[in-house]
Amino acid sequence: MNSDQRPALSIEADLNGTQVRVLERGTIPTVHVRLGSNVTVEVDITKTHAPISITIQNPRHSAVVLCDLLGTATAHELILRATNPGEHLKDIGRNPLTFEAGPAWAGLLAAAYQEWILFWNPLPFEPSIAALDMVAASHQNRAFGGAEEARKHAPEALSAVRMLQNALKAGLIRGEALQTVLLAIDAFEANFLPGTPKPEIDPVHPELISESTQTAFLRNDSPLAPSHDVILTGSPDWRLTGHGPLSTSEDSIWVHPHHRNSTAITVTAHTSPTAKRPFPAYEALITEPHTGDLIAYTTLISRDETLVSGHAIPSRPIRTTDHVDIRHPLLHGNPETNPERRDTERARREAARSTVRERLHLSDYSRAIPPTLSELALNGRLFLSTGTGDNGKTATAQSGKASRPADESPLTDDFDWFLFELSTSSHERTDVSRGSQDAPHNRADAAKKKTFTSPVLTDSAITASFDTDGTTLRATLRRYPHAGHHVGLMIVLDHPDGSTSTYTTDTQLSGSRGVPLKYKLTEVRPESRIISIGVRAHR
């Protein structure tokens, strides 16, 4: 790496194209993202400042893609060196070419992470929320053809969008998650094609997963200790199993003698922590190392809530060096025969679990790959309300649309945030749940706007405006009566460096309705933009 800490590009050109090496591979499994027909980028999602490598089939025909990826100057120089290596040989040592992220790098990272979790994340993300994450990431990656991917996943994300819109209207989205939610909804609305049917489906009800269940999914060893008569153990190869009802933990496949037939064996595999019957009939295969010759085969049947098993008569006695694998009936790959590669794949799975475990506790939303909606929902960090019912569904998701209190109805201790400014997009916003449209506006308009009124309470029950100094917010409550109630404001700011701040305050009312309240915003910086303003009233 050079003095300014930008990684150097190592260019190797041959008849098959150009290989550009940037970073060394680590233990984390990488993902390959295709950028059109000529360029493939290998990404390590934990090394977000640069790719691992770039493979270019035809540099001259890849100029636009490379400009978006590397910036115009670097892309131009790379093409010259790749297509005329002899003429530019002297530049390699004297003027090394370095990687500097181009304008579309952030979108590529978002798309790469979504591709990575499709294979390397063993946690049970809610499908509709995961689809919305894919829409948001693909929309961000539209410089590299992400629009088509976003449109493909948008219909599946409809249920999640309705759930989030209801939660927004009820004011139940956590402040730190608000930007992620708004960007995802904007991406959905930009990619949900006009004329696409919008069926009357219910909003999705995401399930919270406890810390102990997360640990069970992400453990590196068997969920149960093997019995004394186990003669062979194996680990699920995720290429063959996917992430379904059976455990993806290491050493969770056991082979032991049949308890009645001395020539037969029993293969047992564990179910995942949240598995529900009926289970598909997984296949179990015992094979020779190196050759892959089949020794035994059986179908695994559910025996109880935690185990599936099957019986077989092997073609020869089982050895401790044999390989045992399980395979989903819809996946048709073959078991890995090389013992060293099997060890490598195990290390990659363990590294992937460690990465997923770390991301579940991310609190830094300014990272190159911030927490996704799926991660926030799974961990109970998406909604202000975190209570769960007997079925594990969040109280937020079940609440549906916000209801407006009567003029003199008593207030509760619930957090009732009403958002005043929701959109940060330049395109027209569509309310999927009602089919109505708001007037189009953009971020610049939102930043300059002086008065915000509630779109939820149609008679402008609450208004908020800025004083001329630009940092003092004045709020007037027209419907919430009675001295002694508390009122709080929540202002979410977007700063020039890409970070966000949430400013909250709480004051006890001393007068009645119509009394203006003033709050000084100490975190406003030059060029900061307001994403949303909300108000809460409670006893």
Side-chain angles (χ1 to χ4, degrees):
M1 200 171 284
N2 62 348
S3 58
D4 61 2
Q5 298 302 305
R6 292 203 299 263
L9 307 183
S10 173
I11 306 170
E12 300 175 6
D14 56 30
L15 295 177
N16 296 319
T18 301
Q19 182 76 19
V20 182
R21 303 193 182 279
V22 188
L23 299 176
E24 294 293 329
R25 290 188 185 91
T27 57
I28 302 294
T30 59
V31 61
H32 292 79
V33 183
R34 289 189 62 83
L35 312 184
S37 58
N38 287 317
V39 179
T40 302
V41 180
E42 182 183 7
V43 177
D44 180 335
I45 63 163
T46 65
K47 299 177 179 179
T48 55
H49 62 292
I52 300 297
S53 66
I54 307 168
T55 302
I56 311 167
Q57 299 300 326
N58 191 325
R60 291 190 184 277
H61 292 173
S62 308
V64 174
V65 169
L66 293 176
C67 285
D68 286 333
L69 179 64
L70 305 168
T72 303
T74 304
H76 177 71
E77 185 64 24
L78 173 60
I79 293 172
L80 288 178
R81 295 188 186 186
T83 54
N84 302 285
E87 296 181 19
H88 297 273
L89 187 63
K90 61 181 183 297
D91 294 332
I92 295 177
R94 187 173 59 190
N95 185 24
L97 198 59
T98 60
F99 177 84
E100 184 171 3
W105 173 245
L108 173 62
L109 275 182
Y113 180 63
Q114 288 301 313
E115 287 198 28
W116 188 87
I117 62 174
L118 285 176
F119 185 83
W120 293 107
N121 166 53
L123 291 170
F125 286 166
E126 202 290 320
S128 183
I129 299 178
L132 184 55
D133 278 329
M134 181 66 79
V135 170
S138 301
H139 181 69
Q140 191 177 353
N141 191 42
R142 56 193 179 277
F144 297 133
E148 182 178 354
E149 191 75 11
R151 288 193 294 267
K152 182 175 74 173
H153 290 278
E156 187 182 358
L158 178 59
S159 181
V161 170
R162 286 180 170 167
M163 178 264 302
L164 292 174
Q165 287 179 328
N166 289 343
L168 280 170
K169 292 173 185 177
L172 295 174
I173 300 295
R174 287 182 180 269
E176 62 269 24
L178 185 61
Q179 176 79 337
T180 304
V181 170
L182 297 178
L183 291 176
I185 294 177
D186 282 348
F188 172 85
E189 293 172 350
N191 292 282
F192 196 83
L193 293 177
T196 303
K198 298 176 181 177
E200 293 299 325
I201 58 177
D202 292 331
V204 67
H205 292 160
E207 294 187 3
L208 301 182
I209 292 187
S210 66
E211 191 81 24
S212 60
T213 304
Q214 293 176 25
T215 300
F217 269 107
L218 298 174
R219 62 184 304 150
N220 285 327
D221 55 355
S222 170
L224 298 173
S227 57
H228 67 281
D229 61 345
V230 169
I231 56 179
L232 180 65
T233 61
S235 300
D237 183 340
W238 294 355
R239 296 179 306 109
L240 305 179
T241 64
H243 301 294
L246 296 194
S247 173
T248 57
S249 299
E250 308 301 320
D251 302 323
S252 59
I253 310 169
W254 302 341
V255 180
H256 45 89
H258 192 278
H259 65 285
R260 288 199 304 267
N261 187 337
S262 61
T263 62
I265 57 169
T266 298
V267 181
T268 300
H270 301 281
T271 62
S272 71
T274 58
K276 297 177 182 178
R277 293 184 180 183
F279 304 144
Y282 279 71
E283 304 165 317
L285 307 94
I286 301 177
T287 56
E288 287 265 12
H290 301 292
T291 66
D293 292 342
L294 186 64
I295 300 169
Y297 171 90
T298 184
T299 301
L300 303 179
I301 307 296
S302 174
R303 305 298 175 183
D304 56 37
E305 294 297 329
T306 61
L307 294 173
V308 294
S309 63
H311 311 294
I313 298 179
S315 60
R316 62 158 175 79
I318 301 298
R319 303 172 187 150
T320 57
T321 55
D322 291 335
H323 298 159
V324 57
D325 291 275
I326 57 175
R327 183 169 61 192
H328 192 284
L330 298 181
L331 298 176
H332 305 295
N334 294 317
E336 175 58 59
T337 61
N338 187 294
E340 288 75 23
R341 282 200 290 267
R342 291 175 73 95
D343 290 341
T344 299
E345 286 302 306
R346 177 180 180 129
R348 283 154 58 88
R349 291 192 297 267
E350 292 177 350
R353 292 189 192 96
S354 177
T355 301
V356 172
R357 193 180 301 114
E358 176 188 349
R359 285 193 56 84
L360 282 179
H361 298 91
L362 279 184
S363 58
D364 183 2
Y365 288 75
S366 65
R367 289 175 59 130
I369 307 177
T372 65
L373 292 173
S374 295
E375 291 165 341
L376 294 172
L378 196 74
N379 230 12
R381 296 190 294 148
L382 183 57
F383 303 109
L384 284 170
S385 173
T386 58
T388 59
D390 294 337
N391 60 357
K393 296 176 182 177
T394 62
T396 299
Q398 297 182 44
S399 63
K401 296 182 180 180
S403 58
R404 190 179 71 184
D407 188 44
E408 296 295 326
S409 61
L411 297 172
T412 68
D413 289 331
D414 293 335
F415 282 64
D416 295 324
W417 288 107
F418 295 95
L419 300 182
F420 288 95
E421 189 61 31
L422 297 181
S423 178
T424 59
S425 172
S426 59
H427 62 77
E428 195 169 66
R429 293 180 54 83
T430 301
D431 185 340
V432 177
S433 64
R434 295 183 299 171
S436 63
Q437 292 185 341
D438 299 331
H441 56 281
N442 55 38
R443 295 180 69 88
D445 296 333
K448 296 174 183 177
K449 194 171 182 180
K450 294 297 183 183
T451 302
F452 296 81
T453 58
S454 169
V456 178
L457 305 181
T458 55
D459 55 350
S460 299
I462 309 163
T463 61
S465 61
F466 283 100
D467 282 358
T468 55
D469 66 1
T471 63
T472 301
L473 190 71
R474 186 187 301 269
T476 303
L477 278 67
R478 304 189 187 281
R479 286 187 60 85
Y480 289 117
H482 310 311
H485 286 161
H486 288 257
V487 62
L489 289 184
M490 176 177 69
I491 304 96
V492 182
L493 303 173
D494 181 20
H495 301 304
D497 60 2
S499 64
T500 59
S501 300
T502 301
Y503 184 89
T504 60
T505 185
D506 192 274
T507 301
Q508 186 173 13
L509 293 177
S510 56
S512 60
R513 72 185 77 177
V515 176
L517 307 167
K518 294 176 64 176
Y519 301 100
K520 186 77 172 178
L521 307 184
T522 59
E523 298 183 34
V524 175
R525 309 173 199 168
E527 303 302 320
S528 292
R529 300 177 187 273
I530 298 168
I531 299 174
S532 66
I533 301 175
V535 66
R536 176 190 64 176
H538 62 102
R539 289 189 185 278

